[in-house]
Amino acid sequence: MDAFLVMLAACLVGSFALCGVPFGLIIAQRMSGVDVREVGSGNIGMTNVARSAGGSAAALTFACDVGKGTLSVAVSRLLMGLVLPEGMSFDVTAPGFAALTLVYACCVLGHVFSPYLGFHGGKGISVGFGAALALHWPMALVLLACFVVLALPTRYVSAGSLAAAILMPVQALFLWHFTPWAAAPICIASAVVVWAHRGNVVKLLHGEENRFSVKSGDGKGRRRRVAPTQRRDGE
C-alpha cells in the first residue's frame, strides 16, 4: 500500500505538471507570432487560438491538449497497475479506479491552473476529453456527442463545453455506475470547468457570446489587445 500511495502521488504531480504545459500559447507564438493572452478572449485554449492564430495552430493545440490528458491517465494506469497485486482493473467499481479518477482531476486542474502561467490557464475541455479517453472511453464518446450536438449547429463552443462538463459526473454516477469515491474527483473537475466558463455563462445569457471562427491568413495581422479584466471571459 505504501508503494501504491507513493506511485499515486508521483502520478498526480506528474499529471498536473504535464497538463499544465500551455500548448496553445506555445504553438500560437511559434506558428504565428501571436501571444494569445493578449488577443481575442485572452484564453490559451483551442478556440481563441483558432480566432487569433488560425486553423492549423488550433488543430495542433487541440491535438496536444487532448494528447497530454490521454498520456497522463494512460501512463498513470500503467504505473499504478505495476504496484497493485491485482493490477489496475478497467472495472469502474474496483478500488484502484478511484485513484485513477484523482489523476483525471489533476489533468483538468493542471490545465486550468497552469503552474507555468502563474496558475492561470485554459478551460479544461480538450484535456478533460483526452483524459476521459484513457479513463473510460465510452464516457468520453458520450461527452463528444453532447458537445457536437450543441456546439456544431450553434457555433457556440462554450455551450457545448458547459453541457459536456455538467454531463460528466451525471453519466459517471448514473450511466456507468462509478462508486462515490470514484465520482467525487470527477465532480470536482467538472465544477472547476464550469467555474472557468463563468464569463461565458454571463455572455450566453445576455446573447453576447462569440461564435466559433477561424482566423484567415497566418495570424500575423492586426491584433486586438484585451484588458486584464476582459481576459478569460471568452472561450
Side-chain angles (χ1 to χ4, degrees), residues 1 22-23 43 45 52 66 96 103 118 130 132 140 164 176 181 185 199 210 220 235:
M1 181 57 70
F23 282 113
N43 191 264
S52 306
V66 170
V103 175
W176 309 115
W181 288 110
N210 294 320
K220 294 182 180 180
E235 177 64 29

Side-chain angles (χ1 to χ4, degrees), residues 152-176:
L152 197 60
T154 66
R155 288 174 51 216
Y156 286 133
V157 173
S158 57
S161 300
L162 283 163
I166 294 169
L167 180 61
M168 182 77 170
V170 174
Q171 64 162 322
L173 283 166
F174 301 109
L175 183 59
W176 309 115

Side-chain angles (χ1 to χ4, degrees), residues 61-73:
T61 296
F62 177 75
C64 289
D65 284 347
V66 170
K68 68 186 182 184
T70 302
L71 181 64
S72 295
V73 176

